[in-house]
Amino acid sequence: MTQEALRAEIRAQIRSGCHIKLLGDSLTIGAGSSDDDRTGELIYPPFYGQKGARCWASLLREHTARFGCTVENFGCYGTTSDEMMTHLDTLYQPEQDEVVFCMIGSNDKKVANGMEHLRRNLTALCEKVLSDGNHLVLMTPNPATAANDAKPTRIYPQSKVAETIRCVAEKYADRVLLIDHYLAMEAECVLRGCTMEEFLQVGVGPDNDGLHPGDDGYYFYFEHICVCLGL
């Protein structure tokens, strides 16, 4: 199946009303958004859901509700793909999660051999979700600023995270949809004539550290998903 055919299939499923699961880390749960409030329902200890409305996940939930969809945001701040797969039985319910969006890897870049872990874990996720007969959308995260990439805790740059996700998505290109936010955000900065620091609103809030976006970046995530899927 082509990527365009996958888009059409996932779009039709969402428009007919379905259960959507969002998996990932702090960029999925919405750290950095101006109304970030991670005091919702327990995901698993010590992680709680997002009650704020301005991250991309909450915007997507509101938008797809018009089609009768339910969206669960199970992003867990600070987690790696290893941790996601360790807790997958809690995070992912195959009998209800008809469309799964996954965006993870920004913490794997702090781990030795992190990109190999990410590749292995995303491959396992693809095999699991596809074998259950559900749809999977892999997404690259936003670029980081040069200053964030240069932090001593970073073994790999954010570009390597995006590259690894693309490699896994390419292997499953006939069955898994890729939404490449990384490339789209780089292009948006060129279009606006702004720096990545400006785009991510670095310094606007305590979590806007050159990796976590502010409201503008999160709205771009939401818009890009809707454009890619035709929603």
Side-chain angles (χ1 to χ4, degrees):
M1 188 181 297
T2 66
Q3 288 282 289
E4 189 53 47
L6 277 169
R7 281 191 193 91
E9 208 170 81
I10 294 169
R11 177 170 62 244
Q13 189 161 19
I14 291 174
R15 284 182 171 176
S16 65
C18 66
H19 192 277
I20 299 170
K21 177 61 61 66
L22 310 179
L23 302 178
D25 48 36
S26 55
L27 295 173
T28 296
I29 199 62
S33 54
S34 63
D35 63 349
D36 179 16
D37 180 3
R38 284 165 267 154
T39 61
E41 292 186 13
L42 179 69
I43 299 172
Y44 70 85
F47 304 109
Y48 289 83
Q50 176 65 258
K51 293 174 73 175
R54 292 180 180 148
C55 67
W56 71 263
S58 296
L59 292 166
L60 187 66
R61 177 190 295 120
E62 180 183 4
H63 182 69
T64 57
R66 70 188 65 187
F67 305 122
C69 292
T70 55
V71 176
E72 282 187 300
N73 180 1
F74 276 15
C76 297
Y77 191 101
T79 57
T80 64
S81 63
D82 281 340
E83 292 168 296
M84 180 184 74
M85 294 308 293
T86 296
H87 295 276
L88 192 63
D89 287 346
T90 298
L91 295 169
Y92 165 63
Q93 289 76 47
E95 68 283 353
Q96 71 170 21
D97 296 338
E98 299 161 281
V99 178
V100 178
F101 289 79
C102 180
M103 184 170 68
I104 200 161
S106 294
N107 295 302
D108 290 70
K109 68 183 182 182
K110 307 171 189 177
V111 178
N113 299 315
M115 294 305 98
E116 176 56 29
H117 288 230
L118 180 59
R119 183 202 61 77
R120 183 185 65 236
N121 289 323
L122 288 180
T123 298
L125 181 68
C126 288
E127 292 292 337
K128 172 60 177 167
V129 174
L130 293 172
S131 69
D132 292 329
N134 295 318
H135 280 112
L136 176 62
V137 181
L138 292 182
M139 305 197 299
T140 60
N142 58 267
T145 63
N148 190 278
D149 268 342
K151 287 186 176 183
T153 54
R154 274 56 167 169
I155 298 173
Y156 305 91
Q158 189 79 337
S159 59
K160 268 294 184 186
V161 175
E163 180 184 315
T164 302
I165 295 168
R166 289 186 201 115
C167 286
V168 175
E170 184 177 356
K171 179 181 175 182
Y172 291 92
D174 60 333
R175 292 177 288 163
V176 171
L177 184 66
L178 173 68
I179 296 181
D180 199 335
H181 295 299
Y182 189 102
L183 284 181
M185 291 183 180
E186 283 190 325
E188 184 67 12
C189 283
V190 172
L191 186 66
R192 296 186 187 188
C194 70
T195 65
M196 190 56 64
E197 285 82 359
E198 291 168 330
F199 181 77
L200 296 177
Q201 298 174 283
V202 176
V204 169
D207 282 316
N208 304 122
D209 56 357
L211 175 64
H212 301 92
D215 291 350
D216 189 36
Y218 278 124
Y219 193 83
F220 184 89
Y221 268 121
F222 161 67
E223 267 195 330
H224 190 226
I225 291 168
C226 290
V227 168
C228 286
L229 290 175
L231 298 174

